[in-house]
C-alpha cells in the first residue's frame, strides 16, 4: 500500500480504507481483563460492505491489532445475552431496527462511550429548597367521566393486538383555587356537571386568570 508506514498507525487507517475499499473501526480496552471497558478509538465514516472491527492492544512499547469477528458477540454480557451494538457509542439494543434508527442520529456526533452512573451515585436529589419560589395562586382540579362500552371487530388471534373495551367522556369537574393573596383573589371551590364540562372548565380558568392579572 502506498504512503503507509508499517506497523500501521491509527492516523494511517483512512489511507488503508481508501486503497482497499474497507470500513475499519478500531477499539481499545481501558482494562485488559474487562471487555466492558471497551471504547472506540477510530470509527470509520466510509460506507462499505467490507467492515472490519479491530481491537488495539498496547503491551509495553509494542502495539497489536486483533480481529474482532463479531462485535455483537464480543460484547455479550455475563449471561451471554447478545445485543446489536452501535460502533459509535457502544450502546446495545435488543432489536436491529432500533439500532438502525439510533445510528441516524448517533453518527452525526463524535464517537464516544456511554457510561452509566455507578450504584450509590445514580440518584439525583434536589436539596436547595430555599431557592424554590412559592406560587401565589394554585389550581387543583379533578375530572369525572362516564365509562362508555365500545364494540369493535374480532381481532386476529395470530397477531398481537389491543382491544378497546370502553371510552371515557368527561361529565363534570371540581376545582379548588388556592390563593396566598385573598385581597386579590379569595380561595374558593368550583364545580360543574354537564357534557360540556371541558369547555366550561377552560372558560372558568381563563376568567380566573383575567381576574388575577
Amino acid at each position: 500500500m502506498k504512503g503507509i508506514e508499517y506497523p500501521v498507525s491509527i492516523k494511517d487507517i483512512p489511507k488503508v480504507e481508501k486503497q482497499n475499499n474497507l470500513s475499519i473501526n478500531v477499539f481499545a480496552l481501558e482494562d485488559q481483563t474487562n471487555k466492558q471497558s471497551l471504547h472506540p478509538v477510530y470509527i470509520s465514516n466510509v460506507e462499505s460492505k467490507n467492515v472490519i472491527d479491530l481491537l488495539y492492544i498496547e503491551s509495553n512499547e509494542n502495539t497489536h491489532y486483533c480481529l474482532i469477528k463479531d462485535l455483537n458477540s464480543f460484547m455479550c454480557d455475563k449471561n451471554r445475552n447478545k445485543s446489536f451494538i452501535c460502533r459509535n457509542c457502544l450502546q446495545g439494543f435488543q432489536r436491529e431496527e432500533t439500532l438502525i434508527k439510533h445510528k441516524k442520529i448517533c453518527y452525526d456526533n463524535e464517537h464516544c462511550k456511554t457510561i452509566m452512573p455507578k450504584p450509590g451515585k445514580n440518584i439525583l436529589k434536589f436539596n436547595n429548597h430555599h431557592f424554590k419560589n412559592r406560587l401565589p395562586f394554585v389550581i387543583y382540579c379533578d375530572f369525572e367521566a362516564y365509562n362508555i362500552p365500545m364494540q369493535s371487530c374480532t381481532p386476529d388471534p395470530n397477531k398481537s393486538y389491543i382491544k378497546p373495551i370502553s371510552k371515557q367522556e368527561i361529565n363534570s369537574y371540581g376545582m379548588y383555587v388556592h390563593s396566598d393573596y385573598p385581597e386579590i383573589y379569595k380561595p374558593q371551590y368550583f364545580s360543574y356537571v354537564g357534557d360540556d364540562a371541558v369547555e366550561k372548565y377552560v372558560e372558568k380558568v381563563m376568567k380566573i386568570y383575567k381576574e388575577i392579572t
Side-chain angles (χ1 to χ4, degrees):
M1 291 182 287
K2 298 180 180 180
I4 299 174
E5 296 182 0
Y6 295 89
V8 179
S9 63
I10 300 292
K11 65 180 179 64
D12 285 334
I13 288 181
K15 297 179 183 178
V16 177
E17 291 180 307
K18 186 175 181 180
Q19 295 182 32
N20 297 275
N21 189 27
L22 297 173
S23 176
I24 301 175
N25 306 290
V26 182
F27 305 90
L29 292 169
E30 295 179 7
D31 180 356
Q32 300 296 324
T33 63
N34 181 13
K35 67 180 181 181
Q36 297 302 323
S37 68
L38 191 76
H39 64 277
V41 176
Y42 171 84
I43 300 299
S44 176
N45 57 8
V46 177
E47 292 188 7
S48 173
K49 294 182 180 179
N50 304 312
V51 180
I52 297 177
D53 295 320
L54 299 175
L55 179 62
Y56 183 73
I57 299 176
E58 292 183 275
S59 178
N60 297 325
E61 296 181 357
N62 298 319
T63 58
H64 307 275
Y65 292 103
C66 295
L67 176 65
I68 301 176
K69 291 184 177 181
D70 186 340
L71 184 63
N72 296 332
S73 297
F74 182 83
M75 292 298 292
C76 282
D77 58 22
K78 295 179 180 179
N79 297 321
R80 306 299 297 171
N81 294 320
K82 186 176 179 179
S83 300
F84 294 95
I85 304 297
C86 172
R87 292 179 172 87
N88 200 54
C89 68
L90 295 180
Q91 191 81 356
F93 300 90
Q94 293 183 344
R95 299 175 57 192
E96 188 173 11
E97 295 84 353
T98 308
L99 171 62
I100 293 173
K101 293 179 181 179
H102 164 82
K103 288 170 65 175
K104 293 179 181 179
I105 301 174
C106 187
Y107 273 69
D108 287 337
N109 303 291
E110 291 290 330
H111 59 77
C112 62
K113 180 181 179 181
T114 303
I115 300 177
M116 302 302 293
K118 295 181 180 179
K121 297 183 178 180
N122 56 349
I123 298 176
L124 293 177
K125 294 182 179 180
F126 179 76
N127 297 315
N128 298 321
H129 298 282
H130 55 286
F131 288 136
K132 295 191 300 185
N133 291 326
R134 182 180 177 87
L135 297 177
F137 304 99
V138 182
I139 295 177
Y140 301 94
C141 181
D142 182 39
F143 289 91
E144 298 297 336
Y146 299 116
N147 275 331
I148 301 177
M150 296 178 60
Q151 294 183 351
S152 59
C153 299
T154 303
D156 185 349
N158 297 318
K159 298 180 180 179
S160 61
Y161 61 88
I162 297 176
K163 184 179 180 180
I165 59 175
S166 64
K167 63 178 180 179
Q168 290 191 323
E169 291 188 0
I170 295 175
N171 56 41
S172 61
Y173 75 80
M175 176 172 60
Y176 174 72
V177 183
H178 174 78
S179 171
D180 286 342
Y181 299 94
E183 66 275 13
I184 298 177
Y185 195 92
K186 293 182 179 180
Q188 50 190 312
Y189 175 80
F190 302 95
S191 64
Y192 179 85
V193 178
D195 293 338
D196 58 344
V198 174
E199 291 81 1
K200 293 297 183 181
Y201 168 76
V202 174
E203 291 176 4
K204 192 64 177 179
V205 170
M206 294 305 299
K207 182 180 179 181
I208 295 172
Y209 170 76
K210 291 178 180 179
E211 292 179 6
I212 291 175
T213 57

